[in-house]
Amino acid sequence: MAMAVPSSSESLVFTVRRGKEELVAPAKPTPREVKLLSDIDDQEGLRFQIPVIQFYRSDPSMEGKDPALIIRKAVAEALVFYYPFAGRLREGPARKLMVDCTGEGVLFVEADADVTLAQFGDALQPPFPCWEELLYDVPGSAQVLNTPLILIQVTRLKCGGFIFALRLNHTMSDAAGLVQFMNAVAEIARGAREPSVQPVWRRDLLNARVPPRITCNHREYEQVPDTKGTIIPLDDMAHRSFFFGPSEFSAIRRLLPPYQQRCSDFEILTACLWRWRTIALQPDNEEEVRIICIVNARAKFNPSLPTGYYGNAFAFPVAVTSAGKLRENPLGYAVELVRKAKADVTEEYMHSIADLMVLKGRPHFTVVRSYLVSDVTRAGFGEVDFGWGKAAYGGPAKGGVGAIPGVASFYIPFTNAKGERGLVIPICLPSEAMDRFVQELESILNNSHRVTVTSASRFISSSL
């Protein structure tokens, strides 16, 4: 049992009572075998746990039904199809990762909170109050090797709604693969006998070639020394979420010349955030700064990766420039760098990454003066329906997660209190840099429409 730290627009405080964690194994016997991860899966930059959270409203048609019981049973049945998730990760020669399909199961926790969904306010977005109690870090479970690959907590709320939180070992799946598994659990929870999309392992499709050969330029994996201590410090971090809707995008687009008006919202917003964040962190003019864009490569293959493939199938293309050039040039300069980086990802590029991993010891992507963005608007977290309807919020639990915290942000679909559709973006920065980030953002948007952090109040920070 724990009290939440004051957070959210209402300084929400509530108590969570947890049951003891348990292992949920597949409902039927599953193959005992060892399955190799791909050479994209087991790179150093994916060797961490990724948390997601789903909020569900009460549904009169489900009155008297226990979401924890229903979901626990559905997880056991889904693991018959997704049995590698019930195994444990091992490391072999040359740091090669593999799943030992032991059938031991995933961790499951059920809990009750003396709070209603309505008390969270209109703005269900990161950072969430009492986050550590809504997804309890079971002692000894957070390591990458030899521990459960998934941790799930279902927390019942006083109103009849509930919160579904999940932590995944990222080497196993990307967002698309995770949502595929969550939908399998949800379909079975709603009465299906098997998932509508059958899982496909086939990690060999993204293995290195024989012999491996690096054929593309991969500056995202350059080993850059941190000579000036510019990796973000982790002690005084501020977590805030920012909403960008039609008004904000319109204001930003006015900064671009006519020939760039056709650029996507992703390209324009990514360029803006990169520029604002660089100004906030105040690197020296000559220092290199990087923007890393997560690009889903499933459709880049010919033929495409098979439907049902749930491994990691994305790249980290990067744009690199000096801090001085990024600050001094118009926004269009950064937009063009982002656009070109996204265009780098092809089938050949993916094979080249797999080859690089084998040849260079599975390095981490460059984190020195880097900012990473991941667009999960099409991943479908909010569509996952366990029987209580679609999620009121579904997606990443916070920004800044990763093997190196503080580097990543997610673009999450969101509808604000006015009914405007847009994106909510959790940002994680040192507190002083966050203040400068907000000032820069407002100086750009203030003449048109002030960006909002939540629908109930202005800027919120929380120590997560």
Side-chain angles (χ1 to χ4, degrees):
M1 185 176 76
M3 296 298 291
V5 294
S7 182
S8 181
S9 57
E10 303 173 46
S11 297
L12 185 61
V13 177
F14 58 90
T15 302
V16 177
R17 286 182 166 80
R18 275 191 316 275
K20 183 164 176 57
E21 68 272 5
E22 58 179 320
L23 285 171
V24 176
K28 298 175 184 175
T30 52
R32 178 66 199 260
E33 58 188 354
V34 173
K35 299 176 91 68
L36 296 177
L37 294 188
S38 81
D39 289 320
I40 299 295
D41 290 324
D42 61 8
Q43 57 186 295
E44 184 64 32
L46 297 183
R47 297 186 183 206
F48 72 97
Q49 309 280 352
I50 185 86
V52 300
I53 192 165
Q54 312 275 118
F55 287 76
Y56 290 93
R57 298 184 175 91
S58 61
D59 184 329
S61 69
M62 301 298 284
E63 189 173 352
K65 295 185 178 178
D66 180 358
L69 187 67
I70 289 172
I71 291 172
R72 184 193 181 287
K73 184 173 183 292
V75 166
E77 293 179 25
L79 286 174
V80 175
F81 302 93
Y82 286 86
Y83 64 88
F85 279 138
R88 301 292 182 266
L89 218 53
R90 318 291 187 209
E91 189 175 62
R95 305 185 69 229
K96 184 67 196 171
L97 294 183
M98 59 202 75
V99 185
D100 186 359
C101 299
T102 61
E104 291 173 79
V106 303
L107 276 172
F108 190 90
V109 177
E110 64 175 285
D112 292 277
D114 64 347
V115 67
T116 65
L117 194 60
Q119 286 177 268
F120 282 87
D122 294 323
L124 273 178
Q125 60 189 39
F128 297 104
C130 206
W131 159 245
E132 292 87 351
E133 298 302 324
L134 297 174
L135 184 59
Y136 175 58
D137 181 12
V138 176
S141 70
Q143 289 78 17
V144 172
L145 300 177
N146 308 312
T147 57
L149 297 169
I150 291 177
L151 164 66
I152 293 170
Q153 180 171 326
V154 177
T155 304
R156 293 173 290 254
L157 305 176
K158 277 198 313 184
C159 57
F162 66 94
I163 299 169
F164 173 96
L166 180 150
R167 191 185 70 193
L168 169 75
N169 187 317
H170 203 335
T171 62
M172 290 293 290
S173 296
D174 56 14
L178 173 57
V179 169
Q180 183 181 307
F181 171 71
M182 289 169 61
N183 273 322
V185 174
E187 288 173 340
I188 292 169
R190 298 199 313 270
R193 292 189 173 183
E194 61 181 44
S196 59
V197 177
Q198 291 293 316
V200 174
W201 185 258
R202 291 303 310 275
R203 305 297 170 105
D204 57 290
L205 294 171
L206 287 175
N207 274 347
R209 297 170 286 202
V210 182
R213 54 193 185 277
I214 301 171
T215 53
C216 300
N217 189 20
H218 297 289
R219 295 200 66 186
E220 64 270 32
Y221 294 106
E222 287 178 336
Q223 299 308 295
V224 178
D226 185 23
T227 55
K228 300 194 177 183
T230 47
I231 289 181
I232 289 182
L234 301 181
D235 47 350
D236 186 29
M237 299 298 281
H239 293 251
R240 296 182 182 176
S241 283
F242 298 85
F243 176 78
F244 290 85
S247 300
E248 289 78 19
F249 279 111
S250 175
I252 293 169
R253 282 185 179 276
R254 281 199 283 275
L255 302 173
L256 295 173
Y259 74 92
Q260 285 186 320
Q261 291 297 326
R262 290 188 177 183
C263 291
S264 70
D265 285 349
F266 174 89
E267 291 161 349
I268 292 168
L269 184 56
T270 299
C272 268
L273 292 174
W274 182 27
R275 196 164 179 270
W276 294 336
R277 189 175 180 276
T278 300
I279 291 169
L281 287 170
Q282 298 181 326
D284 293 341
N285 277 346
E286 73 278 5
E287 290 188 78
E288 278 189 344
V289 291
R290 296 159 182 264
I291 183 72
I292 298 172
C293 306
I294 298 288
V295 173
N296 185 342
R298 280 169 168 77
K300 306 288 185 181
F301 288 80
N302 187 15
S304 294
L305 291 176
T307 301
Y309 185 86
Y310 62 104
N312 290 285
F314 65 85
F316 293 104
V318 67
V320 184
T321 188
S322 72
K325 285 182 180 178
L326 187 61
R327 282 191 290 241
E328 291 157 14
N329 276 295
L331 178 62
Y333 171 77
V335 170
E336 193 60 21
L337 288 175
V338 170
R339 194 188 62 76
K340 286 179 178 176
K342 278 179 59 191
D344 284 344
V345 181
T346 61
E347 180 172 359
E348 179 62 30
Y349 192 88
M350 295 301 292
H351 289 306
S352 181
I353 293 171
D355 294 349
L356 179 149
M357 290 298 147
V358 168
L359 290 170
K360 297 198 173 182
R362 311 185 196 284
H364 199 292
F365 59 83
T366 309
V367 295
V368 177
R369 295 178 296 280
S370 292
Y371 179 42
L372 183 149
V373 294
S374 177
D375 181 357
V376 298
T377 55
R378 295 183 181 87
F381 285 105
E383 306 299 308
V384 177
D385 177 3
F386 296 103
W388 281 260
K390 295 178 181 179
Y393 170 91
K398 57 182 179 177
V401 300
I404 307 292
V407 170
S409 286
F410 299 99
Y411 296 0
I412 304 165
F414 190 79
T415 302
N416 70 7
K418 300 176 186 175
E420 296 173 323
R421 291 186 176 182
L423 301 175
V424 68
I425 302 172
I427 304 281
C428 178
L429 283 170
S431 295
E432 287 189 9
M434 182 66 82
D435 292 340
R436 290 190 291 268
F437 180 89
V438 170
Q439 289 169 9
E440 186 64 26
L441 182 151
E442 285 205 315
S443 72
I444 298 297
L445 300 178
N446 213 26
N447 292 333
S448 172
H449 179 85
R450 178 174 291 205
V451 68
T452 51
V453 180
T454 75
S455 59
S457 69
R458 294 300 176 191
F459 305 109
I460 291 177
S461 69
S462 171
S463 306
L464 289 185

